[in-house]
Amino acid sequence: MAESKKITAVNIKKLWYGETSAISADVTGQTLHTLLQGETLKEVSNIHQDTWTFEEAEASRTNYKNQLTNQTYRSEKEMGDVSVNFTIGEYDYPTKKDLMGGDVINTDKGWKRTRGKVNIEKCIVFMTEDDQYCVIPRADIGARESTTDKAIGIPVSAVELEPKDTAISPEYWFDAEEVKEA
């Protein structure tokens, strides 16, 4: 039996976002290739150094013990959140609108904030330096303005959400060798 390819998923090389409607079926390497070739996803061109993370919080667990034996006989578990975090160091006003809400002023000459709570969901795709793709079909976007190294960046936290279509998984990983035309 051949040994499986080992990955380390080191750092981020490329990152894209798009509307959650961009993924309407189970994702394959071929469908991801098609998605990346089209104009559905928007590439983020500048991620401020050392701000990219991909994390899964540890599950919280409640164990129940048998009072007679003092041994655990059942356990309940709540899975931890999965999130992609990054700070965009250089951006345009349409990107700011896409991730923070609000409105662009005069096509692309300014931006104004929306009043109240803003709910934004996007599809997130990233590629690591060792050519591993991750696809999160539906993520809750939390973006804000923050000064980092004397410039105002846009820190983004994309928390993985369960897709509305049960045929779509909440997260996919592909080696770049799989992301190709049929």
Side-chain angles (χ1 to χ4, degrees), residues 148-165:
T148 304
D149 297 327
K150 301 179 184 176
I152 299 172
I154 302 176
V156 177
S157 177
V159 176
E160 183 177 288
L161 298 175
E162 184 175 62
K164 293 177 181 178
D165 183 337

Side-chain angles (χ1 to χ4, degrees), residues 33-108:
H33 178 270
T34 302
L35 191 62
L36 292 168
Q37 301 309 308
E39 296 182 14
T40 307
L41 298 178
K42 182 173 180 179
E43 186 170 356
V44 175
S45 62
N46 180 302
I47 295 180
H48 188 70
Q49 71 182 29
D50 300 327
T51 62
W52 177 76
T53 62
F54 180 80
E55 299 180 54
E56 181 172 1
E58 188 172 343
S60 65
R61 185 182 312 236
T62 303
N63 296 322
Y64 297 92
K65 299 216 181 240
N66 177 331
Q67 191 170 345
L68 300 175
T69 64
N70 203 29
Q71 296 297 311
T72 300
Y73 72 95
R74 77 178 166 95
S75 180
E76 288 183 4
K77 181 175 16 177
E78 185 175 317
M79 299 304 291
D81 289 336
V82 174
S83 64
V84 178
N85 305 292
F86 54 94
T87 298
I88 302 174
E90 184 177 62
Y91 47 89
D92 57 16
Y93 289 121
T95 298
K96 189 172 178 120
K97 175 190 181 296
D98 287 348
L99 299 173
M100 293 181 65
D103 291 304
V104 173
I105 300 169
N106 193 15
T107 309
D108 65 354

Side-chain angles (χ1 to χ4, degrees), residues 105-131:
I105 300 169
N106 193 15
T107 309
D108 65 354
K109 304 296 186 268
W111 172 84
K112 61 182 176 180
R113 185 181 298 274
T114 299
R115 291 179 176 266
K117 184 169 94 172
V118 177
N119 290 317
I120 297 174
E121 292 182 2
K122 298 289 182 193
C123 164
I124 300 288
V125 178
F126 65 82
M127 180 184 197
T128 65
E129 288 179 3
D130 56 342
D131 297 330

